[in-house]
Amino acid sequence: STPAAITSGLATASRRGVLIKGGAALESLNAIRTLAFDKTGTLTEGRPQVTAWVPLIEESESSLLAKAAAVESGSSHPLAKAIVALAAERGLALAPATAQKALAGSGVEAVVAGHKLLISAPGRIEAGVLSADCVRQITSLEDKGNTVVVLLQDGVPACLIALRDKLREDALQAVAELKALNIQTVMLTGDNPRAAAAIASELGIAFRAGLLPADKVAAIGELNRTQPVAMVGDGINDAPAMKAATVGIAMGSGSDVALETADAALTHNRLGGLALMLRLSRATHANIR
Ligand code: ADP
Ligand code: MG
């Protein structure tokens, strides 16, 4: 294929929401045998909704929600946006939060109204802090596909917040198209294994759950040693894994950093673009040889 043919292929792709950053990226895509996906914001819409609120102390729900939203107000994580949106919907005024700190892949902390608050994945909380009954309630919510986070106030569990996200409408078809192209698929997620299993079984793909951002990098490194792997993510916590992959593919709705550093992007957030991308790389490669 001539450089002109490559250019025209890339232009056709870009009109369909598939951005491939040059001939080298196109050539690398041809070698890909495995596609790894982030879950939240990639396979799912990244717009979770609060589905359950379980109080664990005497404080009112609106007081705790206002505090939780204050803690999350500085975070760009989809779970944070859902909690902040719920507080806004209820017309709650947020107290100022200080010392806000994101704990990548596990939660966020801040000081609000003189209290030290932590919102955390249950699996990242020290053993013994959550009662056996509390753990049972978490497990039952997670089995239904929810992500559960715990709000701790001065180290004391104050409430459970369950959230659920929807699969992207084209996720199932996109996975089927990739299988038809003989591409292996795996979901790498920081979410808990039960919620991850619920999503993965809907899609029929393999998964690894409970991964911190560094664990995602290690998993990509491991896969990449056997066969070239591409990582698709929104860059919220998974930009390092996208960089570690042979090809990093960013969702268009993701972070600016992800879009800049990725080798390719799905600018319309359509997962169907993945099969298009791979078919184009194969066609171009066949033409070159
Ligand atoms: P994913 O792999 O699904 O994109 P992340 O690595 O972004 O997940 O986050 C993993 C887990 O860490 C979440 O399921 C959640 O329990 C927790 N978490 C991370 N950031 C936040 C936050 N801002 N608020 C609440 N929980 C968070
Ligand atoms: Mg994510």
Side-chain angles (χ1 to χ4, degrees):
S1 145
T2 62
I6 295 177
T7 307
S8 116
L10 294 180
T12 307
S14 95
R15 278 193 296 278
R16 295 172 64 179
V18 175
L19 179 68
I20 302 168
K21 296 192 186 162
L26 192 59
E27 190 66 15
S28 304
L29 275 165
N30 181 58
I32 295 304
R33 295 294 171 268
T34 304
L35 255 177
F37 292 92
D38 165 53
K39 178 174 71 71
T40 310
T42 300
L43 290 171
T44 69
E45 291 179 349
R47 286 194 303 261
Q49 306 275 321
V50 175
T51 53
W53 184 278
V54 182
L56 302 170
I57 59 171
E58 285 298 306
E59 193 169 328
S60 77
E61 179 173 325
S62 47
S63 165
L64 288 173
L65 174 56
K67 285 177 182 166
V71 175
E72 295 279 21
S73 61
S75 168
S76 59
H77 199 280
L79 297 176
K81 288 184 182 165
I83 291 169
V84 171
L86 183 63
E89 221 173 86
R90 305 240 173 116
L92 300 174
L94 306 190
T98 56
Q100 277 170 316
K101 190 173 159 213
L103 313 166
S106 96
V108 58
E109 63 179 25
V111 173
V112 180
H115 293 285
K116 194 163 185 262
L117 294 166
L118 167 67
I119 299 179
S120 174
R124 303 282 165 206
I125 296 171
E126 222 177 296
V129 172
L130 301 172
S131 70
D133 183 54
C134 185
V135 171
R136 267 192 297 278
Q137 295 194 65
I138 292 169
T139 305
S140 139
L141 286 162
E142 288 177 343
D143 278 335
K144 294 176 191 125
N146 291 291
T147 299
V148 180
V149 295
V150 185
L151 172 68
L152 294 117
Q153 180 160 242
D154 302 316
V156 178
C159 67
L160 305 179
I161 310 169
L163 304 103
R164 216 189 133 100
D165 201 1
K166 281 208 290 278
L167 274 181
R168 286 192 188 274
E169 61 172 12
D170 64 341
L172 198 56
Q173 204 198 324
V175 168
E177 281 175 4
L178 292 169
K179 283 187 179 158
L181 290 171
N182 274 319
I183 299 291
Q184 314 256 22
T185 52
V186 59
M187 178 175 89
L188 304 179
T189 179
D191 207 347
N192 74 84
R194 282 170 291 275
I199 296 284
S201 78
E202 274 183 68
L203 288 172
I205 69 174
F207 73 92
R208 294 177 64 174
L211 304 177
L212 290 173
D215 300 328
K216 289 191 187 181
V217 173
I220 289 290
E222 209 176 280
L223 292 167
N224 224 352
R225 266 196 294 282
T226 0
Q227 286 186 320
V229 59
M231 170 81 196
V232 195
D234 63 1
I236 298 168
N237 288 343
D238 45 44
M242 289 162 62
K243 273 181 104 172
T246 297
V247 179
I249 304 171
M251 297 304 285
S253 58
S255 74
D256 295 345
V257 186
L259 283 170
E260 270 168 39
T261 60
D263 304 293
L266 300 172
T267 54
H268 300 171
N269 288 321
R270 304 286 301 178
L271 292 167
L274 294 168
L276 174 72
M277 208 180 261
L278 292 162
R279 280 197 303 268
L280 180 64
S281 77
R282 289 178 187 186
T284 311
H285 188 75
N287 270 332
I288 289 172
R289 301 181 73 209

